[in-house]
Amino acid sequence: MLRCLGWNGGRLLAVCLTALWPSFARMKNTFGPEMPATTDQFVGFVVFWFLSTPFLWLRPEKFKIPFLIVCAWCGAGMLSWMIWALSVAKGVGPLWNSGQKLPDGSPFGASWLIMAGINQGIGGLAAGITNGSDFSRYAKARRSYIIGTITSCLITGVLVSLIGLVTAAASQKIYDEVYWNPPDLLMRMMENGNGSSKARAGVFFLAAGFAFTAMFENICGNTIAGGIDLAGLFPRYIGMSILGTIKEGTIANMCAKDIRRGAIITFVAAWIVQPWQLINKATTFITVLSSFSVFLAPIIGIMACDYYVIRKRRIRLSHLYRTHDSSYMFWNGFNWRAMPAWVCGWAPTIGGLVVSVRGDLNPPRAVLQLYYMAFMIGQCVSVCPRVRLLTILVGFFISAVVFYALNACFPLEHMDQIDSVDLYGTFTEAEARRVGVDPLEEIHQDGLSEGGLSEGRHSGDKDATLQGAKEV
């Protein structure tokens, strides 16, 4: 998604530059015909990339106010755009009622095409699902994150798609052409910079709102998430800053990872993947979205199985911040059980991705059917000729089952245990009682010092936990 949002944000910024200086869109295209982008679009991407760079130094918890501003700006812009299109066109165009007929001799019925659409839709959300834990930890209550996720996916997601469809249908009536990509329609609205000053002003504010929304979503949802992953994989090299402070008998913010270096590395990687090769072509863009489901669904299945089934939603925090005698070191820092489980999840569907990218005219039907169900598999039960029941998730459940089987055959000890003492002041007193953790001040009121935690006054798990915290 980093490459998608980055390139679309650059194109929107190119629209802004054209609205300010119409000659910008008329600059000579120095790229050859094999390049699926023009010089002005590439310049917009470069400017967008540089404008985004300073925000990499903004901590994730500080994004709330900028997000509120750009979301309000973008939401108002979308509604205004739709109202304008409906007003000028005096209704929606033929696209709204055209429907879609299956070509004669098509090997796929409507149910399979619906399945492909579901797979593509989930593909657009798969990255956010995988990175959800990077941001759920900032929620003050469990229900806050759950409510936010449901409303953003179901309500906001549906409304954005509906507004886009209505605007595209109305614009078809105005320009006798369907524009699915906002930058293309915005350029047409101001006649590629040759329109009136009023048209260019309106387009500028619309494009700027969409561009800033793409910028903050790209930084927070992709770059920061990538930085967190890299900091977890290579903490010694990406950077770890010790922010430990002693406050009223608790250890606060101990070993908070500095993810900035990882975020910068992820941000620079946008150039390596060459997003202009993926986004400007509609068919390629759809293939890219579908590919997310192929590879991320197995990861989501492994994560869900690990947390809910194997660990029973219990995490031993003191073991997360040390490299020896830890339940999470596995084999030299790698949990080898995850890799074969992940491969088993995407192996059945990778063939369909390959033939789709190559554009094969007559690929095997079974290969494409598995690909259409990269996230979801339809165990097709014929209730009536037009009804199909979806029962299981392919990549998700295959990887989850294989991962569980490997853990059953090669079990690890203490995977479902938690610390007996709230070492880091994570919980309030009521929360600690509810999860069965003793507040640290009650266990070792006088055992804290700047040098760490004293030993010898407790036995069993509490003593081992305190000793582990000292070694951190």
Side-chain angles (χ1 to χ4, degrees):
M1 292 300 289
L2 173 65
R3 50 186 179 263
C4 300
L5 287 171
W7 181 250
N8 275 334
R11 290 206 57 192
L12 288 165
L13 199 58
V15 173
C16 292
L17 295 175
T18 302
L20 293 174
W21 301 286
S23 60
F24 178 80
R26 296 191 293 271
M27 70 168 57
K28 182 180 179 181
N29 183 20
T30 58
F31 296 139
E34 70 281 354
M35 180 74 169
T38 58
T39 302
D40 62 302
Q41 293 175 355
F42 194 82
V43 171
F45 175 68
V46 173
V47 175
F48 180 84
W49 191 84
F50 275 105
L51 289 178
S52 302
T53 302
F55 294 101
L56 296 176
W57 274 259
L58 193 64
R59 287 185 173 273
E61 60 269 21
K62 302 296 183 182
F63 273 98
K64 181 177 181 179
I65 294 178
F67 257 114
L68 289 175
I69 295 173
V70 298
C71 286
W73 187 352
C74 182
M78 286 192 300
L79 287 174
S80 302
W81 199 4
M82 181 184 68
I83 293 171
W84 170 86
L86 290 173
S87 176
V88 173
K90 301 187 184 306
V92 293
L95 175 67
W96 184 260
N97 299 312
S98 62
Q100 185 69 39
K101 293 183 178 180
L102 296 178
D104 295 334
S106 173
F108 300 105
S111 58
W112 282 109
L113 297 180
I114 292 174
M115 180 68 71
I118 293 174
N119 182 55
Q120 292 162 8
I122 296 179
L125 300 173
I129 297 172
T130 308
N131 299 331
S133 58
D134 294 336
F135 303 99
S136 61
R137 60 195 179 100
Y138 293 105
K140 294 182 179 180
R142 182 185 304 174
R143 63 177 177 272
S144 300
Y145 182 76
I146 295 175
I147 294 174
T149 301
I150 293 175
T151 53
S152 63
C153 291
L154 298 182
I155 299 177
T156 308
V158 171
L159 285 178
V160 170
S161 300
L162 177 62
I163 291 173
L165 179 59
V166 172
T167 305
S171 300
Q172 180 192 23
K173 198 173 180 180
I174 301 172
Y175 302 112
D176 294 325
E177 189 174 352
V178 178
Y179 292 95
W180 290 111
N181 205 3
D184 296 331
L185 179 55
L186 289 170
M187 289 293 288
R188 181 65 186 273
M189 287 171 60
M190 62 176 177
E191 299 178 4
N192 293 321
N194 298 320
S196 65
S197 58
K198 292 181 180 180
R200 289 191 286 115
V203 167
F204 172 82
F205 286 108
L206 281 174
F210 297 154
F212 277 111
T213 302
M215 179 184 296
F216 283 104
E217 184 180 358
N218 189 39
I219 293 173
C220 192
N222 297 319
T223 307
I224 298 298
I228 292 173
D229 293 338
L230 288 176
L233 285 172
F234 311 105
R236 181 177 300 177
Y237 306 102
I238 300 301
M240 176 179 286
S241 59
I242 304 300
L243 303 179
T245 57
I246 307 301
K247 293 184 179 180
E248 300 177 357
T250 63
I251 299 178
N253 299 324
M254 190 172 184
C255 295
K257 292 180 179 177
D258 184 0
I259 60 175
R260 187 173 299 129
R261 293 180 188 174
I264 293 174
I265 294 173
T266 306
F267 195 60
V268 173
W271 291 90
I272 301 175
V273 298
Q274 301 183 39
W276 49 89
Q277 298 284 356
L278 305 175
I279 307 305
N280 275 7
K281 297 179 180 179
T283 54
T284 306
F285 180 63
I286 292 175
T287 303
V288 170
L289 286 181
S290 300
S291 69
F292 292 154
S293 293
V294 170
F295 297 107
L296 294 183
I299 295 178
I300 298 171
I302 292 172
M303 293 169 62
C305 177
D306 181 73
Y307 181 67
Y308 287 100
V309 180
I310 297 175
R311 302 187 191 279
K312 300 179 177 64
R313 299 190 301 172
R314 299 164 71 88
I315 300 293
R316 199 164 188 174
L317 298 181
S318 64
H319 283 215
L320 295 175
Y321 301 110
R322 63 177 191 247
T323 58
H324 65 283
D325 190 26
S326 170
S327 301
Y328 309 116
M329 271 302 291
F330 306 109
W331 178 78
N332 292 329
F334 291 91
N335 187 356
W336 62 267
R337 300 159 188 79
M339 186 56 67
W342 178 64
V343 173
C344 290
W346 58 256
T349 58
I350 191 66
L353 177 62
V354 172
V355 298
S356 296
V357 172
R358 291 191 313 199
D360 292 359
L361 297 179
N362 295 305
R365 179 178 178 179
V367 171
L368 279 183
Q369 287 176 335
L370 282 172
Y371 176 55
Y372 289 163
M373 300 180 296
F375 205 100
M376 305 180 74
I377 187 167
Q379 183 65 32
C380 300
V381 182
S382 296
V383 178
C384 68
R386 297 183 180 180
V387 178
R388 305 282 184 177
L389 295 180
L390 307 178
T391 58
I392 61 175
L393 303 165
V394 166
F396 182 94
F397 270 115
I398 287 179
S399 291
V401 170
V402 172
F403 185 71
Y404 179 81
L406 289 173
N407 278 273
C409 296
F410 306 95
L412 291 168
E413 296 181 353
H414 312 304
M415 293 299 289
D416 58 348
Q417 294 186 6
I418 60 174
D419 291 322
S420 56
V421 180
D422 183 15
L423 291 170
Y424 307 117
T426 305
F427 307 106
T428 64
E429 185 174 347
E431 290 172 340
R433 300 298 185 194
R434 186 174 67 250
V435 299
V437 176
D438 294 327
L440 183 61
E441 58 271 15
E442 294 185 9
I443 298 299
H444 218 340
Q445 185 68 40
D446 59 346
L448 285 170
S449 65
E450 292 186 1
L453 292 163
S454 62
E455 307 174 46
R457 295 185 55 186
H458 305 281
S459 60
D461 292 339
K462 291 184 176 62
D463 192 44
T465 301
L466 295 172
Q467 172 65 14
K470 180 180 179 181
E471 292 173 353
V472 171

